[in-house]
Amino acid sequence: MVSWTCLLFLLSQCLLVSTYFGRANAQTVPIVPGLSWNFYASTCPSLKSTVREQLQIVLNQDIGQAAGLLRLHFHDCFVQGCDGSVLLDGSASGPGEQSAPPNLSLRAQAFRIIEDLRRRVHQKCGRVVSCSDILALAARDSVYLAGGPDYDVPLGRRDGLNFATVNATLANLPPPSSNTTALLNSLAQKNFTATDVVALSGGHTIGISHCISFTGRLYPSQDPTLDQTFARNLKRTCPAANTDNTTVLDIRSPDTFDNKYYVDLLNRQGLFTSDQDLYTDSRTRGIVTSFAVNQSLFYEKFVVAMIKMSQLSVLTGNQGEIRGNCSARNSNNLWLSSTVEETEKGSYSAF
Ligand code: HEM
């Protein structure tokens, strides 16, 4: 009798805890007020299946897009919070976040995939799901469909009305030439621990980079921490500092979301200084090694850090808006759609 009471008590505590913390290894990540694990349960019950099924089709054709979507979510969240601002095109009043140097190498196709998902979701549910939530879901599905862990993301983000300035973008996205001290300092401002930093860097287990992002390690002189054969091959791909070629981030399994990125680091085959220095620096070396030998541990810490990242400075409740087009705020859309409608009616045929 006593043990049944205990069991029931434990069960009720589990249920209580799961409402706050979601499933799969996310137990230690609290969710911010305004977000919830089942935000669209009544307003858009088909949201998660719509996104996942469509991405399954898209990624079956080109798994490389998984990397593009994951990086897009990261660039959204680090600059002004996960408010979909990186999706906004520039305006007549000035250049948008998209034209900041770190964003120039975001994949154009990733923006199209998000807008296509938005259209499908809004077709089914109406304009109730934000672009920033669709991006957060697309990023987590990309991780899963590339072979990585499956996890829940809290939902309920609203879309921002303004994009960040070029300077704010530069200030919030550390360059690949950063050493571990710079990386830890920069990410500590967003409350990330050293474990979070190493886990998030594991996003580099998929995807590609342009030469310009790492040729500082090859020319004029070679970074001594680079493995010789690896460096020779990189020089072949990038015979000059600004060659417009690309190479994979994880030479062992570039399209699979696994822990091989950390094995690369152990072998001095990390592509960026910001990657390789995580193994050189004594504060992060042990974490790198622990992920290299234990993929489940990496997955667990990655999920925690991603859920943290996905909640950075989110807009909730009545803040912001739910965009009807991810690349433009609604007021601009209204103007656009009314112009188009008028044109279609023939009233402004001279346009
Ligand atoms: C923390 C510091 C980080 C730095 C310095 C950094 C830097 C970079 C750079 C320079 C590129 C290549 C850009 C190019 O030349 O094409 C890249 C690609 C990428 N990054 Fe990061 N990144 C960081 C964190 C992250 C995080 C947190 C994630 C996700 C969790 C991530 C995911 C990716 C992915 C998936 C790609 C490949 C994109 C593609 O193939 O289109 N990065 N990163």
Side-chain angles (χ1 to χ4, degrees):
M1 184 61 196
V2 173
S3 59
W4 272 112
T5 318
C6 284
L7 201 64
L8 276 174
F9 174 75
L10 277 175
L11 260 176
S12 67
Q13 292 305 298
C14 272
L15 278 175
L16 192 71
V17 166
S18 66
T19 17
Y20 285 104
F21 298 115
R23 101 182 119 100
N25 302 320
Q27 294 87 344
T28 51
V29 194
I31 62 170
V32 307
L35 297 186
S36 75
W37 301 105
N38 52 2
F39 192 82
Y40 298 106
S42 61
T43 52
C44 193
S46 59
L47 167 64
K48 291 179 192 173
S49 57
T50 306
V51 172
R52 182 159 291 191
E53 283 161 22
Q54 181 56 22
L55 275 183
Q56 176 104 60
I57 296 169
V58 169
L59 300 182
N60 270 350
Q61 282 161 10
D62 178 6
I63 190 62
Q65 299 302 333
L69 290 165
L70 178 59
R71 186 169 183 235
L72 189 56
H73 178 49
F74 156 54
H75 281 217
D76 182 27
C77 293
F78 264 51
V79 182
Q80 200 176 277
C82 315
D83 62 350
S85 58
V86 71
L87 303 173
L88 287 171
D89 287 342
S91 69
S93 59
E97 205 168 321
Q98 287 171 3
S99 44
N103 287 338
L104 293 176
S105 51
L106 291 171
R107 297 191 192 211
Q109 189 62 14
F111 291 91
R112 288 189 214 112
I113 294 169
I114 294 300
E115 177 56 15
D116 177 62
L117 288 171
R118 184 212 55 76
R119 191 182 48 78
R120 288 168 191 275
V121 168
H122 287 189
Q123 228 160 39
K124 288 195 177 158
C125 304
R127 182 154 57 84
V128 290
V129 183
S130 63
C131 294
S132 41
D133 271 349
I134 290 172
L135 181 52
L137 280 174
R140 74 101 194 227
D141 284 349
S142 294
V143 167
Y144 173 67
L145 294 170
D150 198 3
Y151 60 94
D152 281 338
V153 273
L155 298 170
R157 295 165 193 76
R158 308 263 302 173
D159 296 322
L161 300 174
N162 300 300
F163 46 69
T165 61
V166 169
N167 280 345
T169 309
L170 282 167
N172 283 283
L173 292 169
S177 55
S178 311
N179 61 17
T180 299
T181 299
L183 219 53
L184 290 176
N185 287 342
S186 169
L187 272 72
Q189 290 173 23
K190 300 186 186 337
N191 277 329
F192 288 114
T193 64
T195 303
D196 294 330
V197 173
V198 177
L200 283 176
S201 299
H204 290 168
T205 181
I206 52 173
I208 56 170
S209 166
H210 292 79
C211 293
I212 193 73
S213 301
F214 57 85
T215 41
R217 302 183 72 199
L218 302 173
Y219 313 111
S221 55
Q222 193 175 309
D223 180 338
T225 55
L226 273 170
D227 167 67
Q228 282 300 338
T229 313
F230 182 57
R232 212 174 306 127
N233 288 333
L234 290 179
K235 281 181 171 166
R236 226 168 268 152
T237 308
C238 312
N242 55 357
T243 318
D244 192 23
N245 277 339
T246 60
T247 191
V248 295
L249 295 177
D250 166 14
I251 51 165
R252 285 181 170 69
S253 54
D255 291 330
T256 309
F257 198 98
D258 54 17
N259 66 338
K260 295 291 191 296
Y261 159 84
Y262 300 101
V263 178
D264 297 339
L265 301 190
L266 260 52
N267 288 285
R268 301 194 287 131
Q269 294 156 335
L271 193 59
F272 306 136
T273 302
S274 61
D275 296 319
Q276 193 56 53
D277 202 49
L278 294 173
Y279 188 61
T280 310
D281 194 297
S282 61
R283 290 165 295 179
T284 42
R285 186 181 187 120
I287 309 171
V288 170
T289 310
S290 70
F291 292 169
V293 299
N294 186 345
Q295 180 162 279
S296 309
L297 182 67
F298 162 50
Y299 282 178
E300 186 189 316
K301 301 297 184 195
F302 180 77
V303 165
V304 167
M306 280 298 284
I307 296 174
K308 247 168 120 168
M309 183 179 92
S310 81
Q311 302 189 82
L312 286 173
S313 305
V314 287
L315 303 174
T316 57
N318 293 325
Q319 296 170 312
E321 63 183 10
I322 306 290
R323 275 183 223 142
N325 169 348
C326 292
S327 65
R329 56 192 241 185
N330 290 340
S331 51
N332 301 356
N333 278 343
L334 279 179
W335 180 82
L336 265 182
S337 62
S338 64
T339 310
V340 172
E341 268 165 32
E342 296 293 349
T343 310
E344 277 168 1
K345 280 182 216 145
S347 331
Y348 293 107
S349 49
F351 262 71

